[in-house]
Amino acid sequence: MITDLPRMGDLSPENVGGRWVGGATGPAPGARFHGVNRNGERRWWTRVRVVDCEPGRRFTFDVRSPFGVRVSRWSYEVSPTADGCVLTEHWYRVGNWFVRRFLGPRVTGRADRPGYNVTSIEHTLALVKSRAETAGEHRNAA
């Protein structure tokens, strides 16, 4: 679920999906993606490059503005437990002061990106958990 970037819009309150570009057809180190996001009437796109993809363990990608300026890094880590796993989502703000204080808020309409992302991460993780549990119930019933 977390590596299917074209369908990330099903899990994210801000991302609405996107498409693999540059010959990429799925997640792999170096794969590129154009993401599409929205906040109300505001819509913007980003350039994404996968930097780490270890199925069942870790998925990390960098996000850049359409102008190529680094904005953030997102990473998902899967840790096995006795009865399943724990998924941890990380967000790293890597943009410079211009992106953080001027460009980002004007483009996205979000003045408090760190505060918003705390809520966004909770939302995404809750949906992943719910869908994984539902999928598990369907497998057990079959």
Side-chain angles (χ1 to χ4, degrees):
M1 282 185 272
I2 59 174
T3 62
D4 188 357
L5 293 181
R7 296 198 58 204
M8 185 56 80
D10 295 345
L11 303 170
S12 170
E14 188 170 71
N15 178 269
V16 295
R19 63 185 171 86
W20 294 105
V21 296
T25 59
R32 293 182 300 134
F33 184 82
H34 279 186
V36 179
N37 302 288
R38 74 164 180 335
N39 174 14
E41 295 296 315
R42 294 175 191 258
R43 291 179 72 85
W44 66 98
W45 67 276
T46 58
R47 297 178 183 187
V48 172
R49 182 176 300 266
V50 176
V51 295
D52 191 7
C53 184
E54 200 175 327
R57 300 202 61 202
R58 184 176 22 263
F59 180 60
T60 303
F61 57 88
D62 284 343
V63 178
R64 293 179 180 267
S65 75
F67 312 109
V69 177
R70 278 187 80 198
V71 175
S72 62
R73 171 172 280 189
W74 290 87
S75 186
Y76 299 85
E77 293 181 21
V78 180
S79 304
T81 65
D83 58 348
C85 67
V86 171
L87 176 64
T88 305
E89 182 176 8
H90 301 278
W91 171 71
Y92 304 94
R93 188 177 214 177
V94 295
N96 62 29
W97 71 268
F98 179 74
V99 170
R100 288 191 307 266
R101 298 208 177 154
F102 181 76
L103 186 61
R106 293 216 176 9
V107 170
T108 69
R110 302 208 189 278
D112 180 15
R113 174 54 60 183
Y116 174 78
N117 280 358
V118 166
T119 303
S120 172
I121 287 169
E122 290 170 355
H123 174 95
T124 299
L125 292 176
L127 277 176
V128 169
K129 181 179 191 289
S130 173
R131 290 183 182 189
E133 288 172 346
T134 300
E137 289 170 7
H138 289 292
R139 273 194 306 273
N140 291 337

